[in-house]
Amino acid sequence: MNAVEQAQSEHSRVKFEKLIQAAQAIPPQVCAVAHPCDGTSLTAAVEATELGLIKAILVGPRSRIEAVAQESCLDISGLDLIDTPHSHASAHEAVALVRAGRASLLMKGSLHTDELMHEVVQTQTGLRTDRRLSHVFIMDVPTYPEPLFITDAAINIAPDLNCKADIVQNAIDLHLALGLGTPRVAILSAVEQINPKIPTTLEAAALCKMADRGQITGGILDGPLAMDNAISPEAASMKGLKSPVAGHAQILIVPDLEAGNMLAKNLSFLAGALAAGIVLGARVPIILTSRADTRQARLASCAVAAVYAHKRLEQAAATPV
C-alpha cells in the first residue's frame, strides 16, 4: 500500500458518506446512463441503483451490456435497457430521454466525454440553457475540515469573465442545493494583490464586484487569493488578510482548466483526496466518472447529482407559473 492509499484507507470519508445518506433520504432520480459498456461504468450504475441513489436506464448495445453484466456478476434484470448500435447513438438517445422528461439525470458510461458533451450542447436536440456549462469537483480531502469544491477543471479551457461568472454561480447553486450553507468562494490567482500584469487578478476583482452588485448571488466572494491564503488560516493571517473567505474557502475558482485539473489531481494522487464530479448548467446535472475513480467517489458523484436534481425539481414546483 502506497502513502496515498494509506491516507485514503485511514480517512473515514464522512463528508462523502453524508452526501450519500442525503441522496438516500429522497426518492431516487431517474438517470439515463449513456453506453455503460465496461465493468466500471456498469457497476457504478447498478450499485447506485441498488443503494437508492438513482434509478438507472441503461442506454447502449444490449449484447455488450449483457456480456459485461455477466462478466462482472451484475444483475441488470430489473433495469430498463434501451438497445443502441454504437456509442454515438447511445449518447444521442440518452440525451433524448432527458429532453423527453423520462430522466432527470444524465450519466457518462464508457464512451469519451467529448462524445457525450457533443450531444449535450446541440442547439436543437441538446440540453443547453442560458447558463454556461461547467464542471465541479467535490473533493473529500483528508486534511481539510469540509468538502472542497474546485471549478472548472474539465469543461472550459480558458474561460473569460462572463464564463467565470457562470462558473461561480453554478458552484454556488450546487453548494446551496446540497444543504452546505452559504459558500465562501475564493477566486484564485498567483497572488492576493491586484496586479495589471496578471489578468486573473483583475478578473477576480471584477467577479467580487459583480457579487456586490447582485450579478452573482448566494455566496461570499473574495479574490484574488493565492492558494495558500485561500485555505490556510495561518497563511491568511500572515498576509494580513481579513475576510470570511481567506483561510476558510469552500469553493475554489481556478484561473483555467489546466490549473484546476492539476490542482484536483495533485490533491487526489498526493494528498489522498477523493473527487466526485458533475457538470452543471445543462437542463439536468451530468455525472462524469473516470476509470481512476474509487467506488465511493463514483457513488458520491451520483449522490451529489441526485440531491441537486431533486432540489431543482422542488424549486421549479414552488415557482408560480
Side-chain angles (χ1 to χ4, degrees):
M1 180 182 293
N2 61 34
V4 171
E5 290 171 336
Q6 182 175 356
Q8 291 177 337
S9 65
E10 292 174 352
H11 184 49
S12 64
R13 302 304 181 192
V14 172
K15 307 179 191 77
F16 274 10
E17 285 300 327
K18 287 182 177 179
L19 294 173
I20 292 171
Q21 289 169 9
Q24 290 175 319
I26 60 176
Q29 302 296 301
V30 178
C31 180
V33 186
H35 210 69
C37 293
D38 66 0
T40 299
S41 59
L42 187 58
T43 298
V46 171
E47 288 191 343
T49 298
E50 290 174 347
L51 286 175
L53 307 178
I54 64 172
K55 182 179 179 182
I57 300 176
L58 309 179
V59 184
R62 178 179 294 275
S63 59
R64 290 182 61 184
I65 292 175
E66 290 177 344
V68 170
Q70 185 174 5
E71 292 170 4
S72 304
C73 299
L74 298 171
D75 181 9
I76 61 172
S77 60
L79 301 182
D80 291 338
L81 196 163
I82 297 177
D83 191 16
T84 59
H86 45 65
S87 58
H88 178 73
S90 301
H92 180 82
E93 183 62 31
V95 169
L97 287 173
V98 174
R99 283 185 63 88
R102 294 180 56 191
S104 57
L105 296 175
L106 179 64
M107 182 176 179
K108 172 183 170 291
S110 57
L111 75 175
H112 197 279
T113 300
D114 288 347
E115 193 169 9
L116 179 61
M117 297 309 296
H118 175 78
E119 292 297 323
V120 170
V121 301
Q122 292 300 303
T123 302
Q124 299 299 323
T125 60
L127 303 176
R128 301 209 58 167
T129 67
D130 292 337
R131 189 77 64 81
R132 185 68 177 254
L133 297 178
S134 63
H135 182 273
V136 179
F137 275 122
I138 301 92
M139 309 288 296
D140 185 346
V141 185
T143 55
Y144 207 66
E146 49 198 330
L148 188 63
F149 289 23
I150 297 175
T151 186
D152 178 349
I155 298 293
N156 296 287
I157 297 173
D160 60 16
L161 180 61
N162 286 332
C163 181
K164 284 186 177 180
D166 278 353
I167 289 172
V168 173
Q169 192 65 67
N170 285 342
I172 290 173
D173 290 350
L174 177 63
H175 199 275
L176 292 170
L178 294 180
L180 299 175
T182 301
R184 300 182 292 273
V185 184
I187 317 298
L188 295 184
S189 185
V191 296
E192 67 280 356
Q193 296 178 333
I194 296 172
N195 185 339
K197 294 182 180 180
I198 306 177
T200 54
T201 66
L202 300 177
E203 291 179 343
L207 289 167
C208 291
K209 181 52 66 176
M210 291 172 76
D212 291 342
R213 298 287 170 84
Q215 293 172 269
I216 298 171
T217 61
I220 304 169
L221 276 63
D222 193 12
L225 290 172
M227 180 65 182
D228 57 346
N229 47 56
I231 62 169
S232 167
E234 293 79 11
S237 178
M238 290 176 64
K239 291 291 180 69
L241 299 174
K242 297 179 181 179
S243 83
V245 177
H248 303 280
Q250 295 164 304
I251 298 176
L252 303 178
I253 307 299
V254 298
D256 55 32
L257 182 146
E258 290 177 306
N261 194 274
M262 285 185 273
L263 173 57
K265 288 180 179 176
N266 278 337
L267 290 173
S268 295
F269 289 94
L270 294 178
L274 290 181
I278 66 171
V279 173
L280 305 171
R283 293 191 185 187
V284 301
I286 303 169
I287 304 164
L288 295 185
T289 56
S290 166
R291 285 174 293 181
D293 288 343
T294 66
R295 172 183 177 273
Q296 194 172 31
R298 294 189 205 101
L299 294 176
S301 296
C302 294
V304 167
V307 172
Y308 184 60
H310 179 72
K311 187 66 175 181
R312 289 183 63 180
L313 290 172
E314 281 188 337
Q315 291 171 341
T319 302
V321 178

